[in-house]
Amino acid sequence: MTAKIIDGKAVAKRMRAEIAEDVKKLQEQYGVTPGLATVLVGDNPASQSYVRMKQRACEKVGITSFGHKLPADASQEEVEALVRQLNEDPNVHGILVQLPLPKHLDEERVLSLISLHKDVDGFHPINIGRLAMKGREPLFIPCTPYGAMVLLKEAGAQIEGANAVVLGRSNIVGMPMAMLLIHANATVTVCHSRTRDLPAVTRQADILIAAVGRPEMVKADWVKPGAYVIDVGSNKVDDPSSEKGYRWVGDVAFDEVKEVAGAITPSPGGVGPMTITMLLKNTLRGAEMVARGEV
Ligand code: GUN
């Protein structure tokens, strides 16, 4: 049996059209245009490219983007001063500090300075703390795991009561993903580099989330027949046969796993387009909260 392919690109396209509509409605009703401020420190090429993609995506749905760049040797004080200024700016409804920050900067201090109601990445310690607590809700959900949850629901996964296994425990994906699945009443196992007999653990998963950053690590015999497999990985690998000399692959060996799984996201074309979509949705939500006087 070949798995159902979960088309993240198509879901993202549909959601972005809905977001564009809602942006228009917000302008008509309240005269408010959502604004996203991006903060890029240094010249990491991957970060530059992500930020550019985020800015372009904003423009396409009518969200104003305010790009801020600081040099790689910017001081902690400079970064903090910029965040404070953006917190005060009424045209900015979301603040995104692109990670990773250069090593000399204190990431936690920067993230905890962002106003809770502008924390569209959902990385503020209070938003993460709320996500970790039973019966509490964060103001914003981190974008990548949020997008992965949307795709699981789109694919018709029964999350409640399912055995979910998350490969990876990063602050950006693995940990918040595990917490979201717990909120949705799954039974969750988080695996990492010290986990013993990984394939035996992942084979128990009705829902398997791969977020480790290892090209095509998850093989067919790691996967329970019929499982929902969400591949968060995006890895650049050498490929002399391609024109560019490289290609992008996920953390899952797609061609073999699709013969076992019930549903699977490709990478590229799965979770990737959803991450930015959820950022747009969070920014719209930030602007709606301000327009309706909720914050
Ligand atoms: N770096 C990698 N992913 C992300 C993300 O989702 N948000 C931010 N701010 N930085 C990132």
Side-chain angles (χ1 to χ4, degrees):
M1 189 191 77
T2 301
K4 169 179 172 176
I5 310 298
I6 307 170
D7 186 349
K9 241 182 174 168
V11 177
K13 190 172 172 201
R14 197 191 67 219
M15 287 186 72
R16 289 185 198 196
E18 289 164 8
I19 291 166
E21 280 301 307
D22 289 345
V23 166
K24 249 193 236 148
K25 279 187 208 151
L26 191 73
Q27 283 164 330
E28 284 161 11
Q29 215 175 337
Y30 296 99
V32 171
T33 301
L36 174 72
T38 57
V39 177
L40 177 61
V41 186
D43 35 32
N44 177 323
S47 293
Q48 285 174 333
S49 149
Y50 287 138
V51 167
R52 255 198 318 271
M53 280 162 64
K54 289 169 186 181
Q55 290 173 331
R56 269 197 220 122
C58 279
E59 281 150 28
K60 283 198 175 150
V61 297
I63 293 175
T64 308
S65 79
F66 305 95
H68 294 268
K69 277 189 186 168
L70 292 173
D73 62 355
S75 67
Q76 182 76 24
E77 290 69 30
E78 281 174 273
V79 180
E80 290 186 11
L82 175 56
V83 171
R84 283 203 183 85
Q85 175 200 321
L86 297 172
N87 281 342
E88 296 303 317
D89 187 336
N91 295 315
V92 170
H93 304 98
I95 301 172
L96 179 135
V97 176
Q98 186 65 26
L99 302 177
L101 286 171
K103 291 235 166 359
H104 67 280
L105 295 171
D106 182 340
E107 177 184 300
E108 191 183 347
R109 268 191 59 177
V110 172
L111 295 180
S112 54
L113 254 189
I114 296 173
S115 280
L116 263 188
H117 64 272
K118 296 191 179 188
D119 177 35
V120 286
D121 251 333
F123 294 157
H124 190 291
I126 291 183
N127 272 326
I128 291 285
R130 286 183 183 166
L131 192 61
M133 283 185 272
K134 197 173 170 193
R136 308 272 167 85
E137 295 288 340
L139 278 173
F140 299 100
I141 298 169
C143 304
T144 301
Y146 190 5
M149 288 299 282
V150 170
L151 290 184
L152 277 174
K153 287 175 190 161
E154 280 283 331
Q158 164 76 26
I159 301 175
E160 182 161 323
N163 282 333
V165 173
V166 180
L167 283 179
R169 54 178 164 178
S170 70
N171 291 336
I172 291 177
V173 186
M175 284 305 264
M177 186 76 227
M179 294 190 282
L180 277 174
L181 287 162
I182 292 170
H183 265 262
N185 296 319
T187 302
V188 180
T189 304
V190 180
C191 298
H192 44 77
S193 54
R194 313 279 164 85
T195 300
R196 266 184 266 140
D197 198 355
L198 211 46
V201 180
T202 57
R203 270 197 297 273
Q204 304 298 313
D206 304 308
I207 294 170
L208 178 58
I209 313 287
V212 273
R214 296 267 200 109
E216 301 180 316
M217 182 171 87
V218 176
K219 309 293 187 206
D221 64 352
W222 290 37
V223 176
K224 180 176 180 174
Y228 286 80
V229 178
I230 304 288
D231 189 355
V232 183
S234 180
N235 311 289
K236 197 174 176 179
V237 294
D238 290 339
D239 181 0
S241 72
S242 93
E243 219 172 86
K244 293 178 186 159
Y246 64 86
R247 70 196 157 92
W248 292 93
V249 298
D251 291 351
V252 175
F254 181 81
D255 288 339
E256 58 181 88
V257 171
K258 79 175 191 318
E259 301 303 325
V260 181
I264 184 169
T265 60
S267 177
V271 175
M274 293 301 290
T275 296
I276 295 183
T277 305
M278 303 328 284
L279 174 68
L280 302 175
K281 195 167 171 67
N282 278 348
T283 305
L284 169 65
R285 178 171 148 71
E288 284 172 345
M289 287 193 298
V290 170
R292 295 179 187 143
E294 291 166 11
V295 290

